mmCIF file with all atom_site columns, all heavy atoms in Angstrom:
data_model
loop_
_atom_site.group_PDB
_atom_site.id
_atom_site.type_symbol
_atom_site.label_atom_id
_atom_site.label_alt_id
_atom_site.label_comp_id
_atom_site.label_asym_id
_atom_site.label_entity_id
_atom_site.label_seq_id
_atom_site.pdbx_PDB_ins_code
_atom_site.Cartn_x
_atom_site.Cartn_y
_atom_site.Cartn_z
_atom_site.occupancy
_atom_site.B_iso_or_equiv
_atom_site.pdbx_formal_charge
_atom_site.auth_seq_id
_atom_site.auth_comp_id
_atom_site.auth_asym_id
_atom_site.auth_atom_id
_atom_site.pdbx_PDB_model_num
ATOM 1   N N   . ALA A 1 82 ? 3.594  17.227 -0.486  1.00 0.00 ? 445 ALA A N   1
ATOM 2   C CA  . ALA A 1 82 ? 3.563  18.620 -0.937  1.00 0.00 ? 445 ALA A CA  1
ATOM 3   C C   . ALA A 1 82 ? 4.351  18.748 -2.240  1.00 0.00 ? 445 ALA A C   1
ATOM 4   O O   . ALA A 1 82 ? 3.946  19.466 -3.169  1.00 0.00 ? 445 ALA A O   1
ATOM 5   C CB  . ALA A 1 82 ? 4.148  19.538 0.132   1.00 0.00 ? 445 ALA A CB  1
ATOM 6   N N   . GLY A 1 83 ? 5.485  18.040 -2.319  1.00 0.00 ? 446 GLY A N   1
ATOM 7   C CA  . GLY A 1 83 ? 6.261  18.047 -3.554  1.00 0.00 ? 446 GLY A CA  1
ATOM 8   C C   . GLY A 1 83 ? 5.508  17.406 -4.706  1.00 0.00 ? 446 GLY A C   1
ATOM 9   O O   . GLY A 1 83 ? 5.564  17.881 -5.847  1.00 0.00 ? 446 GLY A O   1
ATOM 10  N N   . MET A 1 84 ? 4.767  16.339 -4.419  1.00 0.00 ? 447 MET A N   1
ATOM 11  C CA  . MET A 1 84 ? 3.950  15.685 -5.436  1.00 0.00 ? 447 MET A CA  1
ATOM 12  C C   . MET A 1 84 ? 2.910  16.657 -5.993  1.00 0.00 ? 447 MET A C   1
ATOM 13  O O   . MET A 1 84 ? 2.718  16.762 -7.208  1.00 0.00 ? 447 MET A O   1
ATOM 14  C CB  . MET A 1 84 ? 3.270  14.457 -4.813  1.00 0.00 ? 447 MET A CB  1
ATOM 15  C CG  . MET A 1 84 ? 2.053  13.938 -5.552  1.00 0.00 ? 447 MET A CG  1
ATOM 16  S SD  . MET A 1 84 ? 2.445  13.085 -7.072  1.00 0.00 ? 447 MET A SD  1
ATOM 17  C CE  . MET A 1 84 ? 0.811  12.470 -7.486  1.00 0.00 ? 447 MET A CE  1
ATOM 18  N N   . HIS A 1 85 ? 2.249  17.394 -5.096  1.00 0.00 ? 448 HIS A N   1
ATOM 19  C CA  . HIS A 1 85 ? 1.230  18.350 -5.532  1.00 0.00 ? 448 HIS A CA  1
ATOM 20  C C   . HIS A 1 85 ? 1.863  19.497 -6.323  1.00 0.00 ? 448 HIS A C   1
ATOM 21  O O   . HIS A 1 85 ? 1.272  19.999 -7.279  1.00 0.00 ? 448 HIS A O   1
ATOM 22  C CB  . HIS A 1 85 ? 0.485  18.901 -4.312  1.00 0.00 ? 448 HIS A CB  1
ATOM 23  C CG  . HIS A 1 85 ? -0.623 19.843 -4.668  1.00 0.00 ? 448 HIS A CG  1
ATOM 24  N ND1 . HIS A 1 85 ? -1.778 19.436 -5.293  1.00 0.00 ? 448 HIS A ND1 1
ATOM 25  C CD2 . HIS A 1 85 ? -0.735 21.191 -4.500  1.00 0.00 ? 448 HIS A CD2 1
ATOM 26  C CE1 . HIS A 1 85 ? -2.567 20.483 -5.485  1.00 0.00 ? 448 HIS A CE1 1
ATOM 27  N NE2 . HIS A 1 85 ? -1.956 21.553 -5.013  1.00 0.00 ? 448 HIS A NE2 1
ATOM 28  N N   . ARG A 1 86 ? 3.076  19.894 -5.930  1.00 0.00 ? 449 ARG A N   1
ATOM 29  C CA  . ARG A 1 86 ? 3.748  21.033 -6.560  1.00 0.00 ? 449 ARG A CA  1
ATOM 30  C C   . ARG A 1 86 ? 4.346  20.671 -7.920  1.00 0.00 ? 449 ARG A C   1
ATOM 31  O O   . ARG A 1 86 ? 4.215  21.424 -8.896  1.00 0.00 ? 449 ARG A O   1
ATOM 32  C CB  . ARG A 1 86 ? 4.846  21.551 -5.617  1.00 0.00 ? 449 ARG A CB  1
ATOM 33  C CG  . ARG A 1 86 ? 5.797  22.583 -6.233  1.00 0.00 ? 449 ARG A CG  1
ATOM 34  C CD  . ARG A 1 86 ? 5.073  23.882 -6.543  1.00 0.00 ? 449 ARG A CD  1
ATOM 35  N NE  . ARG A 1 86 ? 5.986  24.874 -7.058  1.00 0.00 ? 449 ARG A NE  1
ATOM 36  C CZ  . ARG A 1 86 ? 6.412  24.931 -8.331  1.00 0.00 ? 449 ARG A CZ  1
ATOM 37  N NH1 . ARG A 1 86 ? 5.983  24.033 -9.202  1.00 0.00 ? 449 ARG A NH1 1
ATOM 38  N NH2 . ARG A 1 86 ? 7.240  25.867 -8.728  1.00 0.00 ? 449 ARG A NH2 1
ATOM 39  N N   . PHE A 1 87 ? 5.003  19.521 -8.019  1.00 0.00 ? 450 PHE A N   1
ATOM 40  C CA  . PHE A 1 87 ? 5.759  19.197 -9.221  1.00 0.00 ? 450 PHE A CA  1
ATOM 41  C C   . PHE A 1 87 ? 5.071  18.191 -10.134 1.00 0.00 ? 450 PHE A C   1
ATOM 42  O O   . PHE A 1 87 ? 5.519  17.987 -11.265 1.00 0.00 ? 450 PHE A O   1
ATOM 43  C CB  . PHE A 1 87 ? 7.144  18.657 -8.838  1.00 0.00 ? 450 PHE A CB  1
ATOM 44  C CG  . PHE A 1 87 ? 8.004  19.651 -8.108  1.00 0.00 ? 450 PHE A CG  1
ATOM 45  C CD1 . PHE A 1 87 ? 8.244  19.525 -6.756  1.00 0.00 ? 450 PHE A CD1 1
ATOM 46  C CD2 . PHE A 1 87 ? 8.546  20.735 -8.783  1.00 0.00 ? 450 PHE A CD2 1
ATOM 47  C CE1 . PHE A 1 87 ? 9.025  20.447 -6.081  1.00 0.00 ? 450 PHE A CE1 1
ATOM 48  C CE2 . PHE A 1 87 ? 9.337  21.664 -8.127  1.00 0.00 ? 450 PHE A CE2 1
ATOM 49  C CZ  . PHE A 1 87 ? 9.573  21.524 -6.772  1.00 0.00 ? 450 PHE A CZ  1
ATOM 50  N N   . GLY A 1 88 ? 4.023  17.529 -9.666  1.00 0.00 ? 451 GLY A N   1
ATOM 51  C CA  . GLY A 1 88 ? 3.314  16.573 -10.504 1.00 0.00 ? 451 GLY A CA  1
ATOM 52  C C   . GLY A 1 88 ? 3.828  15.156 -10.336 1.00 0.00 ? 451 GLY A C   1
ATOM 53  O O   . GLY A 1 88 ? 4.933  14.922 -9.835  1.00 0.00 ? 451 GLY A O   1
ATOM 54  N N   . ALA A 1 89 ? 3.008  14.201 -10.773 1.00 0.00 ? 452 ALA A N   1
ATOM 55  C CA  . ALA A 1 89 ? 3.292  12.792 -10.529 1.00 0.00 ? 452 ALA A CA  1
ATOM 56  C C   . ALA A 1 89 ? 4.544  12.311 -11.240 1.00 0.00 ? 452 ALA A C   1
ATOM 57  O O   . ALA A 1 89 ? 5.353  11.582 -10.667 1.00 0.00 ? 452 ALA A O   1
ATOM 58  C CB  . ALA A 1 89 ? 2.092  11.951 -10.973 1.00 0.00 ? 452 ALA A CB  1
ATOM 59  N N   . ARG A 1 90 ? 4.718  12.710 -12.476 1.00 0.00 ? 453 ARG A N   1
ATOM 60  C CA  . ARG A 1 90 ? 5.811  12.138 -13.265 1.00 0.00 ? 453 ARG A CA  1
ATOM 61  C C   . ARG A 1 90 ? 7.176  12.431 -12.653 1.00 0.00 ? 453 ARG A C   1
ATOM 62  O O   . ARG A 1 90 ? 7.974  11.532 -12.391 1.00 0.00 ? 453 ARG A O   1
ATOM 63  C CB  . ARG A 1 90 ? 5.762  12.668 -14.694 1.00 0.00 ? 453 ARG A CB  1
ATOM 64  C CG  . ARG A 1 90 ? 4.541  12.192 -15.480 1.00 0.00 ? 453 ARG A CG  1
ATOM 65  C CD  . ARG A 1 90 ? 4.642  12.629 -16.917 1.00 0.00 ? 453 ARG A CD  1
ATOM 66  N NE  . ARG A 1 90 ? 4.794  14.091 -17.016 1.00 0.00 ? 453 ARG A NE  1
ATOM 67  C CZ  . ARG A 1 90 ? 5.269  14.713 -18.075 1.00 0.00 ? 453 ARG A CZ  1
ATOM 68  N NH1 . ARG A 1 90 ? 5.664  14.014 -19.122 1.00 0.00 ? 453 ARG A NH1 1
ATOM 69  N NH2 . ARG A 1 90 ? 5.340  16.023 -18.125 1.00 0.00 ? 453 ARG A NH2 1
ATOM 70  N N   . ARG A 1 91 ? 7.441  13.704 -12.402 1.00 0.00 ? 454 ARG A N   1
ATOM 71  C CA  . ARG A 1 91 ? 8.763  14.079 -11.885 1.00 0.00 ? 454 ARG A CA  1
ATOM 72  C C   . ARG A 1 91 ? 8.967  13.611 -10.444 1.00 0.00 ? 454 ARG A C   1
ATOM 73  O O   . ARG A 1 91 ? 10.052 13.138 -10.080 1.00 0.00 ? 454 ARG A O   1
ATOM 74  C CB  . ARG A 1 91 ? 8.954  15.591 -11.985 1.00 0.00 ? 454 ARG A CB  1
ATOM 75  C CG  . ARG A 1 91 ? 9.220  16.073 -13.393 1.00 0.00 ? 454 ARG A CG  1
ATOM 76  C CD  . ARG A 1 91 ? 9.449  17.558 -13.433 1.00 0.00 ? 454 ARG A CD  1
ATOM 77  N NE  . ARG A 1 91 ? 8.220  18.308 -13.214 1.00 0.00 ? 454 ARG A NE  1
ATOM 78  C CZ  . ARG A 1 91 ? 8.167  19.643 -13.127 1.00 0.00 ? 454 ARG A CZ  1
ATOM 79  N NH1 . ARG A 1 91 ? 9.281  20.343 -13.182 1.00 0.00 ? 454 ARG A NH1 1
ATOM 80  N NH2 . ARG A 1 91 ? 7.027  20.258 -12.942 1.00 0.00 ? 454 ARG A NH2 1
ATOM 81  N N   . TRP A 1 92 ? 7.916  13.722 -9.613  1.00 0.00 ? 455 TRP A N   1
ATOM 82  C CA  . TRP A 1 92 ? 8.106  13.404 -8.201  1.00 0.00 ? 455 TRP A CA  1
ATOM 83  C C   . TRP A 1 92 ? 8.244  11.904 -7.966  1.00 0.00 ? 455 TRP A C   1
ATOM 84  O O   . TRP A 1 92 ? 9.061  11.463 -7.163  1.00 0.00 ? 455 TRP A O   1
ATOM 85  C CB  . TRP A 1 92 ? 6.963  13.981 -7.365  1.00 0.00 ? 455 TRP A CB  1
ATOM 86  C CG  . TRP A 1 92 ? 7.340  14.110 -5.921  1.00 0.00 ? 455 TRP A CG  1
ATOM 87  C CD1 . TRP A 1 92 ? 6.874  13.386 -4.878  1.00 0.00 ? 455 TRP A CD1 1
ATOM 88  C CD2 . TRP A 1 92 ? 8.309  15.006 -5.380  1.00 0.00 ? 455 TRP A CD2 1
ATOM 89  N NE1 . TRP A 1 92 ? 7.476  13.784 -3.712  1.00 0.00 ? 455 TRP A NE1 1
ATOM 90  C CE2 . TRP A 1 92 ? 8.364  14.784 -3.993  1.00 0.00 ? 455 TRP A CE2 1
ATOM 91  C CE3 . TRP A 1 92 ? 9.138  15.987 -5.935  1.00 0.00 ? 455 TRP A CE3 1
ATOM 92  C CZ2 . TRP A 1 92 ? 9.222  15.492 -3.155  1.00 0.00 ? 455 TRP A CZ2 1
ATOM 93  C CZ3 . TRP A 1 92 ? 9.981  16.702 -5.103  1.00 0.00 ? 455 TRP A CZ3 1
ATOM 94  C CH2 . TRP A 1 92 ? 10.012 16.442 -3.730  1.00 0.00 ? 455 TRP A CH2 1
ATOM 95  N N   . MET A 1 93 ? 7.458  11.110 -8.661  1.00 0.00 ? 456 MET A N   1
ATOM 96  C CA  . MET A 1 93 ? 7.586  9.670  -8.492  1.00 0.00 ? 456 MET A CA  1
ATOM 97  C C   . MET A 1 93 ? 8.916  9.168  -9.039  1.00 0.00 ? 456 MET A C   1
ATOM 98  O O   . MET A 1 93 ? 9.486  8.201  -8.525  1.00 0.00 ? 456 MET A O   1
ATOM 99  C CB  . MET A 1 93 ? 6.420  8.939  -9.146  1.00 0.00 ? 456 MET A CB  1
ATOM 100 C CG  . MET A 1 93 ? 5.138  9.100  -8.367  1.00 0.00 ? 456 MET A CG  1
ATOM 101 S SD  . MET A 1 93 ? 3.881  7.950  -8.919  1.00 0.00 ? 456 MET A SD  1
ATOM 102 C CE  . MET A 1 93 ? 2.450  8.635  -8.079  1.00 0.00 ? 456 MET A CE  1
ATOM 103 N N   . ALA A 1 94 ? 9.426  9.816  -10.076 1.00 0.00 ? 457 ALA A N   1
ATOM 104 C CA  . ALA A 1 94 ? 10.751 9.455  -10.583 1.00 0.00 ? 457 ALA A CA  1
ATOM 105 C C   . ALA A 1 94 ? 11.799 9.674  -9.502  1.00 0.00 ? 457 ALA A C   1
ATOM 106 O O   . ALA A 1 94 ? 12.674 8.830  -9.265  1.00 0.00 ? 457 ALA A O   1
ATOM 107 C CB  . ALA A 1 94 ? 11.083 10.279 -11.822 1.00 0.00 ? 457 ALA A CB  1
ATOM 108 N N   . ARG A 1 95 ? 11.700 10.806 -8.801  1.00 0.00 ? 458 ARG A N   1
ATOM 109 C CA  . ARG A 1 95 ? 12.644 11.098 -7.716  1.00 0.00 ? 458 ARG A CA  1
ATOM 110 C C   . ARG A 1 95 ? 12.553 10.055 -6.607  1.00 0.00 ? 458 ARG A C   1
ATOM 111 O O   . ARG A 1 95 ? 13.573 9.551  -6.122  1.00 0.00 ? 458 ARG A O   1
ATOM 112 C CB  . ARG A 1 95 ? 12.331 12.489 -7.151  1.00 0.00 ? 458 ARG A CB  1
ATOM 113 C CG  . ARG A 1 95 ? 13.375 13.081 -6.211  1.00 0.00 ? 458 ARG A CG  1
ATOM 114 C CD  . ARG A 1 95 ? 13.332 12.537 -4.807  1.00 0.00 ? 458 ARG A CD  1
ATOM 115 N NE  . ARG A 1 95 ? 12.058 12.706 -4.153  1.00 0.00 ? 458 ARG A NE  1
ATOM 116 C CZ  . ARG A 1 95 ? 11.719 12.068 -3.036  1.00 0.00 ? 458 ARG A CZ  1
ATOM 117 N NH1 . ARG A 1 95 ? 12.547 11.192 -2.473  1.00 0.00 ? 458 ARG A NH1 1
ATOM 118 N NH2 . ARG A 1 95 ? 10.537 12.259 -2.493  1.00 0.00 ? 458 ARG A NH2 1
ATOM 119 N N   . ILE A 1 96 ? 11.321 9.699  -6.228  1.00 0.00 ? 459 ILE A N   1
ATOM 120 C CA  . ILE A 1 96 ? 11.120 8.724  -5.160  1.00 0.00 ? 459 ILE A CA  1
ATOM 121 C C   . ILE A 1 96 ? 11.694 7.364  -5.558  1.00 0.00 ? 459 ILE A C   1
ATOM 122 O O   . ILE A 1 96 ? 12.417 6.724  -4.795  1.00 0.00 ? 459 ILE A O   1
ATOM 123 C CB  . ILE A 1 96 ? 9.621  8.601  -4.820  1.00 0.00 ? 459 ILE A CB  1
ATOM 124 C CG1 . ILE A 1 96 ? 9.108  9.891  -4.170  1.00 0.00 ? 459 ILE A CG1 1
ATOM 125 C CG2 . ILE A 1 96 ? 9.370  7.419  -3.893  1.00 0.00 ? 459 ILE A CG2 1
ATOM 126 C CD1 . ILE A 1 96 ? 7.612  9.904  -3.919  1.00 0.00 ? 459 ILE A CD1 1
ATOM 127 N N   . LEU A 1 97 ? 11.393 6.916  -6.753  1.00 0.00 ? 460 LEU A N   1
ATOM 128 C CA  . LEU A 1 97 ? 11.820 5.586  -7.200  1.00 0.00 ? 460 LEU A CA  1
ATOM 129 C C   . LEU A 1 97 ? 13.339 5.453  -7.240  1.00 0.00 ? 460 LEU A C   1
ATOM 130 O O   . LEU A 1 97 ? 13.908 4.467  -6.757  1.00 0.00 ? 460 LEU A O   1
ATOM 131 C CB  . LEU A 1 97 ? 11.235 5.304  -8.580  1.00 0.00 ? 460 LEU A CB  1
ATOM 132 C CG  . LEU A 1 97 ? 9.753  4.931  -8.619  1.00 0.00 ? 460 LEU A CG  1
ATOM 133 C CD1 . LEU A 1 97 ? 9.163  5.236  -9.989  1.00 0.00 ? 460 LEU A CD1 1
ATOM 134 C CD2 . LEU A 1 97 ? 9.564  3.464  -8.292  1.00 0.00 ? 460 LEU A CD2 1
#
Side-chain angles (χ1 to χ4, degrees):
M447 160 74 173
H448 183 69
R449 170 67 177 81
F450 297 107
R453 293 186 303 160
R454 285 182 288 176
W455 200 250
M456 287 193 192
R458 192 281 303 166
I459 292 175
L460 284 157

